[in-house]
């Protein structure tokens, strides 16, 4: 099974990893893992005034920070994973990556806002569920 794990480095990512670690059916060499981190893009006006290398370094450092503990998790469980960092709206990046990569499952942590909170603030998980044909396992 091709599993896309969407991560942001938050406590919700840690809960998702703990869940995976506690359920053997989600871990194993029979699966192919892609770990995806989406960083919101800097405003166009800001990037136009900054050096391209500085902007690229910012995105690279953000991804490295998020991936550090996740790499440790996968290594500890003896699993290989492909790490992908992209820039853009998280829900759009997750949906596009799942579709293009032909993933069988998306696993992601959810903040667990109530439905009124989702209406007001929006939710990456809600947008992924609404816009993606790939099954999604949400961990709260």
């Amino acid at each position: 099974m091709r599993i896309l794990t969407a991560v942001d480095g938050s406590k919700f990512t840690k809960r998702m990893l703990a869940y995976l670690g506690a359920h053997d059916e989600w871990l194993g060499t029979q699966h192919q893992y892609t770990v995806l981190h989406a960083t919101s893009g800097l405003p166009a006006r800001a990037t136009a005034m900054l050096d391209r290398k500085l902007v690229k370094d910012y995105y690279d450092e953000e991804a490295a920070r998020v991936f550090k503990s996740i790499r440790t998790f996968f290594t500890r469980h003896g699993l290989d994973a492909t790490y992908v960092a992209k820039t853009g709206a998280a829900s759009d990046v997750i949906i596009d990556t799942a579709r293009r990569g032909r993933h069988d499952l998306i696993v992601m942590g959810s903040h667990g806002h109530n439905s009124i909170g989702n209406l007001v603030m929006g939710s990456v998980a809600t947008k992924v569920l609404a816009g993606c044909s790939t099954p999604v396992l949400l961990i709260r």
Side-chain angles (χ1 to χ4, degrees):
M1 180 180 295
R2 295 174 55 85
I3 299 175
L4 176 64
T5 56
V7 299
D8 63 4
S10 69
K11 66 181 180 180
F12 305 103
T13 293
K14 291 177 184 163
R15 282 186 193 162
M16 182 260 301
L17 292 174
Y19 178 87
L20 290 178
H23 294 82
D24 291 337
E25 65 273 18
W26 297 118
L27 295 178
T29 56
Q30 73 275 19
H31 301 302
Q32 294 176 325
Y33 303 93
T34 301
V35 180
L36 173 67
H37 173 64
T39 302
S40 296
L42 295 171
R45 292 184 122 180
T47 57
M49 298 179 76
L50 297 172
D51 178 66
R52 284 183 183 221
K53 183 177 179 337
L54 180 67
V55 173
K56 183 183 178 320
D57 288 349
Y58 164 76
Y59 291 133
D60 290 347
E61 288 171 15
E62 174 66 12
R65 181 189 63 78
V66 169
F67 289 152
K68 184 177 180 182
S69 63
I70 297 163
R71 285 183 196 279
T72 301
F73 172 85
F74 276 92
T75 300
R76 186 177 25 177
H77 287 87
L79 303 170
D80 290 324
T82 301
Y83 294 84
V84 178
K86 295 185 177 182
T87 304
S91 56
D92 295 339
V93 169
I94 294 166
I95 292 167
D96 185 61
T97 303
R99 183 180 53 78
R100 289 179 189 259
R102 299 182 184 199
H103 289 88
D104 301 303
L105 178 68
I106 299 170
V107 180
M108 57 190 290
S110 173
H111 293 213
H113 296 301
N114 62 32
S115 54
I116 291 176
N118 286 343
L119 288 173
V120 174
M121 295 182 286
S123 164
V124 172
T126 301
K127 290 175 185 174
V128 170
L129 288 170
C132 191
S133 60
T134 304
V136 179
L137 174 62
L138 290 177
I139 311 298
R140 292 197 319 162

